[in-house]
Amino acid sequence: MSIEIKNITKDFGDTRALDNVTLTFGENKIYGLLGNNGAGKSTLLGIMTDLLHATEGTITVDGEAVSNNDSALGKVFLVAEQNLFPEDMSVKKAFGAAQVFSPAFDRAYAEKLAVKFGLDTKKKIKSLSTGYASIFRLIVGLSANTPYLLLDEPVLGLDAQHRDMFYRLLLEKYGENPFTTVISTHLIAEAADLIEHAVIIRDGRIIKDCPSSELTASAYSVSGPAGLVDSYLDGRHILTSNTLGGLKTACVQGQSGALPEGLEFSRVNLQDYFISLMEEEDRK
Amino acid sequence: MTFQDERPIFLQLAEQLEEGILSGAYPEESRVPSITEYSVTYKINPATALKGINLLVDSGLLYKKRGLGMYVSTGAKEQLKSQRKDRFYHDYVERLVREAKNLGLDASELTNMIKRGFEDVD
């Protein structure tokens, strides 16, 4: 049970949005699809749900090709920026309509979430504020009960309290009945602890694809007097470094080994690791 | 609680559970929160919560009741106290003695200081 992405390339005119992407999203795991704006995250999710057509490559869901295949597509639900319902439909009616094309859609659960978020279900979709329009789409996604739930920048436009509620609801639902979810986001710090497996995409290419604990364990930060740090760093793989007065801090890829007296070691979190990796790529 | 310090979250979670057992918040033979409860409360991946809880299962502090959840073992509190005493020796006493030697204090001077500490600290 998995989504297999094989050698996907996508060109928009002269621009290559995805460049030979190969990935697997396995069963019942929470994935983070991490990348800066324009990295190709939405394009990939669009191709996975057959909204966009790949220039090359194939995508299968549980072994079935997704292209023009309703049975494969029925297992995947994408929450993205676009609204799938007629603009002048009420939220309540839209929940009813969702039941028609997603048979496992749980209407009672959707209504319950609407109350929780304070979403007025009598309102027409077009009259919802940006934040509530996002909440509406998230509720539909969380209630769809598909084995694969793809979330493209799910918390964009949500205030802090609603973002918090959303993350908890997602984990609660996952805890009760696990499914595969891909959280595509550039807001890494917020989602970092939720993610079991991280995929980092940059300029249409996958540059990391591994358990997030492995990523953060693969780098560390070291700081101390600049001279000492410099001699320690000699021959090591430096991701980033900065100097503040006589104090130097560096983010280093690899294992620290025994540190000389006078140097401080610390772990890096997923967001720091991501930023360091991007800065290193920028220099290439 | 939020997980802001630099150690891995599963270790912090394990420590928090140990504190709960020591303080009596999780009495022996009572159920501890489930993986999902931890995951939702702290907004962490369930696999991380499981890893933390498993540390206590491996050391015999928690055990699984099939279909019911994780329970605190009988004797867990005593076991933790003796673990903590060992750790106290390593973390505090060894360091204390090392620093005392740096300062040129001998054993009886240090003992006197510790006695004074017992009088000064409530």
Side-chain angles (χ1 to χ4, degrees):
Chain A
M1 301 290 274
S2 61
I3 300 184
E4 304 278 344
I5 297 161
K6 280 199 188 120
N7 308 106
I8 289 286
T9 292
K10 174 69 182 172
D11 293 330
F12 291 108
D14 293 338
T15 314
R16 179 146 290 189
L18 292 175
D19 187 4
N20 198 24
V21 168
T22 296
L23 267 181
T24 298
F25 291 113
E27 197 177 4
N28 300 345
K29 251 191 208 175
I30 302 179
Y31 287 88
L33 179 60
L34 314 175
N36 289 329
N37 290 321
K41 305 189 295 294
S42 299
T43 304
L44 181 62
L45 297 178
I47 294 174
M48 285 166 70
T49 45
D50 211 27
L51 295 172
L52 293 170
H53 296 284
T55 309
E56 276 174 56
T58 55
I59 294 187
T60 56
V61 174
D62 301 341
E64 285 186 275
V66 293
S67 174
N68 289 317
N69 181 342
D70 286 344
S71 97
L73 288 169
K75 294 180 184 170
V76 187
F77 195 95
L78 169 65
V79 176
E81 230 181 315
Q82 61 271 42
N83 166 39
L84 306 165
F85 298 91
E87 288 279 290
D88 55 1
M89 199 179 240
S90 71
V91 169
K92 210 175 184 64
K93 281 231 172 78
F95 287 165
Q99 228 169 357
V100 176
F101 53 82
S102 302
F105 185 86
D106 184 343
R107 193 167 174 174
Y109 180 70
E111 303 267 359
K112 199 181 96 186
L113 294 192
V115 173
K116 226 170 177 165
F117 279 103
L119 169 65
D120 181 357
T121 55
K122 291 191 289 294
K123 273 197 168 172
K124 286 183 174 176
I125 290 166
K126 66 178 171 200
S127 65
L128 296 175
S129 66
T130 315
Y132 272 107
S134 301
I135 287 170
F136 163 67
R137 292 189 296 269
L138 285 173
I139 291 177
V140 175
L142 285 171
S143 310
N145 288 316
T146 49
Y148 302 96
L149 176 62
L150 313 180
L151 302 164
D152 192 3
E153 298 286 1
V155 298
L156 226 55
L158 266 62
D159 60 36
Q161 188 202 350
H162 284 154
R163 290 207 297 271
D164 188 79
M165 273 173 68
F166 162 70
Y167 290 128
R168 289 178 205 276
L169 284 166
L170 182 70
L171 287 168
E172 187 182 273
K173 185 137 180 86
Y174 178 85
E176 283 162 9
N177 199 355
F179 50 96
T180 296
T181 186
V182 179
I183 305 172
S184 157
T185 186
H186 68 283
L187 300 169
I188 296 164
E190 281 193 6
D193 296 340
L194 273 71
I195 293 167
E196 185 175 355
H197 191 107
V199 174
I200 299 181
I201 182 168
R202 181 182 163 96
D203 296 337
R205 286 179 303 112
I206 304 300
I207 58 173
K208 293 282 171 191
D209 174 14
C210 63
S212 50
S213 57
E214 244 171 60
L215 281 185
T216 50
S218 72
Y220 60 97
S221 158
V222 62
S223 66
L228 262 179
V229 172
D230 281 332
S231 57
Y232 168 78
L233 290 176
D234 188 39
R236 290 182 187 272
H237 182 169
I238 305 159
L239 291 171
T240 50
S241 70
N242 69 73
T243 310
L244 189 64
L247 182 79
K248 184 163 184 166
T249 304
C251 181
V252 190
Q253 179 95 43
Q255 297 306 320
S256 65
L259 278 185
E261 194 81 17
L263 293 187
E264 291 267 357
F265 167 93
S266 61
R267 276 170 23 104
V268 295
N269 61 38
L270 191 58
Q271 171 154 286
D272 292 340
Y273 178 81
F274 177 83
I275 293 170
S276 297
L277 194 66
M278 291 300 124
E279 286 179 3
E280 194 205 18
E281 291 279 328
D282 284 344
R283 291 194 301 269
K284 280 183 183 169
Chain B
M1 181 183 66
T2 52
F3 296 107
Q4 274 166 350
D5 82 57
E6 280 166 350
R7 288 161 314 130
I9 290 172
F10 75 94
L11 283 180
Q12 295 181 55
L13 183 76
E15 239 165 67
Q16 191 230 11
L17 256 165
E18 289 183 3
E19 290 300 333
I21 294 171
L22 275 173
S23 73
Y26 304 131
E28 292 176 2
E29 298 306 324
S30 73
R31 194 181 75 87
V32 299
S34 69
I35 306 285
T36 301
E37 284 172 277
Y38 275 117
S39 158
V40 171
T41 306
Y42 300 126
K43 292 189 283 178
I44 56 174
N45 190 285
T48 311
L50 180 65
K51 209 168 156 186
I53 287 178
N54 275 346
L55 280 181
L56 276 78
V57 174
D58 291 345
S59 57
L61 295 166
L62 296 181
Y63 68 99
K64 190 176 187 168
K65 275 194 191 172
R66 203 162 281 278
L68 293 173
M70 292 294 180
Y71 281 73
V72 180
S73 310
T74 298
K77 200 169 170 175
E78 272 313 305
Q79 187 186 332
L80 268 175
K81 272 190 193 160
S82 92
Q83 277 177 20
R84 289 284 166 109
K85 282 177 193 164
D86 290 345
R87 212 184 295 163
F88 177 79
Y89 182 80
H90 288 294
D91 291 354
Y92 295 95
V93 179
E94 288 183 351
R95 271 165 66 187
L96 182 80
V97 171
R98 206 168 296 132
E99 181 65 7
K101 284 184 175 171
N102 283 340
L103 296 173
L105 295 168
D106 64 24
S108 69
E109 282 171 303
L110 181 59
T111 313
N112 285 335
M113 284 174 106
I114 291 171
K115 282 179 184 156
R116 201 172 93 206
F118 267 92
E119 281 157 22
D120 289 350
V121 180
D122 297 326

